[in-house]
Amino acid sequence: MKMELIQLSMPLLLSGLLLTLKISIFAVVIGFFIGLGLAIARISGSFMLAASSQGYSSVFRGTPLMVQLFLFYYGLGQLSFIRDNALAWWVIGDGVRCAILVLALNSAAYTSEILRGGFMSVPKGALEAARACGMSKWLQFRRIEFPIAMRQALPAYGNEMILTLKGSSLASTIAVLEITGHAKRLMSQTFAVIEVFAMAGAIYLFINVVMIVLLRLTERSLMRHMAA
């Protein structure tokens, strides 16, 4: 790998790093709250809420992320009522905001299943004890159910966060110049396919390693009461 190529490519790839992080962070945060709502709906006991949540999850988990991205950006963008609606067009008409929306909706589907499993793992004895102490449903959820569920779901949810980060690379297919978008442009200019994408892959790998370390530290902190 020539030093001149590294000096040309690395600053451009790193310039897309902030956009990659922006897309990933917003998608994870929005997706978490949507997924939390869907998980609560699944365990609410209401047939309509549970069926709607399960249907949403099945659609987004059962179709490829790229297809969803194309349907929203290219498909919805062709509809006149979307173009005539200022808010809808503000989201769909911009590649970055559309990528955030689609990634968030996709992540929410997986997050809902992860959190549902976490909620179902909460010991019934803990819930009965909370009710015996006179806790309200909200207080019970905040102090008992949610903390326990998050501790149980964190390893799987950490994997979902990493997958969302890697999924952000598909934003390049709708002309978003994040890391992969810049890599594609550099490839067309230099024809150094292996070198350029090896550098892009190294940046993604570095981010993922940092995320894994932070997740492991968080998991260790939350589970320190179980240490021998």
Side-chain angles (χ1 to χ4, degrees):
M1 187 178 293
K2 296 181 179 179
M3 184 58 63
E4 293 82 359
L5 179 61
I6 296 176
Q7 292 175 345
L8 169 68
S9 303
M10 193 56 72
L12 286 174
L13 293 175
L14 290 176
S15 69
L17 175 59
L18 288 179
L19 188 54
T20 292
L21 293 176
K22 175 184 175 180
I23 293 172
S24 302
I25 291 171
F26 275 99
V28 166
V29 172
I30 296 171
F32 175 81
F33 286 104
I34 297 175
L36 178 60
L38 293 170
I40 293 173
R42 287 288 296 275
I43 62 174
S44 65
S46 169
F47 174 78
M48 291 299 297
L49 289 177
S52 299
S53 175
Q54 186 173 6
Y56 174 96
S57 177
S58 298
V59 169
F60 277 91
R61 290 191 303 128
T63 54
L65 178 57
M66 183 177 289
V67 171
Q68 297 166 16
L69 195 61
F70 279 20
L71 284 175
F72 273 76
Y73 188 71
Y74 295 112
L76 294 182
Q78 301 298 317
L79 302 178
S80 58
F81 72 88
I82 294 292
R83 294 196 300 269
D84 294 338
N85 186 293
L87 179 60
W89 184 246
W90 181 80
V91 176
I92 301 299
D94 179 80
V96 174
R97 289 189 285 268
C98 185
I100 291 172
L101 173 64
V102 175
L103 277 169
L105 295 176
N106 182 273
S107 178
Y110 290 93
T111 300
S112 69
E113 295 295 330
I114 294 170
L115 294 180
R116 182 177 70 91
F119 284 126
M120 293 178 66
S121 69
V122 177
K124 291 184 178 180
L127 300 179
E128 292 173 356
R131 285 192 290 269
C133 291
M135 286 188 181
S136 64
K137 287 187 176 181
W138 165 244
L139 190 61
Q140 174 182 305
F141 176 82
R142 184 166 61 88
R143 290 189 174 180
I144 306 296
E145 291 183 81
F146 184 72
I148 294 176
M150 282 305 301
R151 281 199 293 266
Q152 298 296 326
L154 185 60
Y157 183 63
N159 290 333
E160 171 55 27
M161 292 172 64
I162 292 172
L163 289 174
T164 301
L165 172 66
K166 292 190 290 186
S168 68
S169 63
L170 293 177
S172 62
T173 61
I174 55 173
V176 175
L177 290 177
E178 37 70 70
I179 296 174
T180 306
H182 279 295
K184 287 182 176 180
R185 177 171 290 187
L186 284 167
M187 178 192 68
S188 65
Q189 294 173 348
T190 64
F191 301 102
V193 180
I194 296 177
E195 295 89 340
V196 169
F197 279 97
M199 285 186 281
I203 295 173
Y204 280 111
L205 179 60
F206 175 77
I207 302 171
N208 283 327
V209 169
V210 172
M211 286 183 62
I212 289 171
V213 171
L214 292 176
L215 287 167
R216 293 293 180 268
L217 291 174
T218 303
E219 183 179 351
R220 186 178 302 172
S221 175
L222 291 175
M223 303 298 289
R224 62 183 180 276
H225 64 285
M226 298 183 65

